[in-house]
Amino acid sequence: DPNDRPALPNSEVRRLKKLISSNEKKIATLEGKIADAEALLASADPTDFERLMEIQAEIAPYKERRDALENEWFDAAEALGE
């Protein structure tokens, strides 16, 4: 039960809310970059394996960073009891 948790200091609540807001913006930016790269992937010549691999190599770090930010977001939301 979230009500059983000790109350967080106001400074920690502010820090966590700021982290959540910041991560939401960063995740949205990364989602846009992923979508753009996936559109390139879809329009690339399917026989140009080198280009396909280059585009996939661009996408991977965006997805990794997005996943890390989402994990931070979830941890912060859980700490706030949301």
Side-chain angles (χ1 to χ4, degrees):
D1 184 1
N3 294 331
D4 294 339
R5 295 178 208 217
L8 293 172
N10 286 338
S11 61
E12 182 65 2
V13 170
R14 280 192 305 275
R15 186 189 74 78
L16 290 170
K17 286 184 176 184
K18 187 175 178 182
L19 176 70
I20 287 171
S21 176
S22 173
N23 282 14
E24 287 172 347
K25 292 173 188 164
K26 290 175 185 176
I27 289 167
T29 299
L30 287 167
E31 289 288 349
K33 290 180 179 184
I34 291 167
D36 290 346
E38 287 176 341
L40 273 178
L41 191 62
S43 67
D45 178 353
T47 62
D48 187 351
F49 298 112
E50 188 174 313
R51 180 67 181 135
L52 295 174
M53 288 175 50
E54 286 173 3
I55 296 169
Q56 288 176 334
E58 284 179 36
I59 295 171
Y62 294 146
K63 287 185 174 183
E64 288 172 15
R65 181 67 181 135
R66 179 201 56 200
D67 293 348
L69 289 166
E70 285 176 345
N71 287 336
E72 280 182 6
W73 186 97
F74 286 123
D75 290 344
E78 184 177 330
L80 288 172
E82 296 181 2

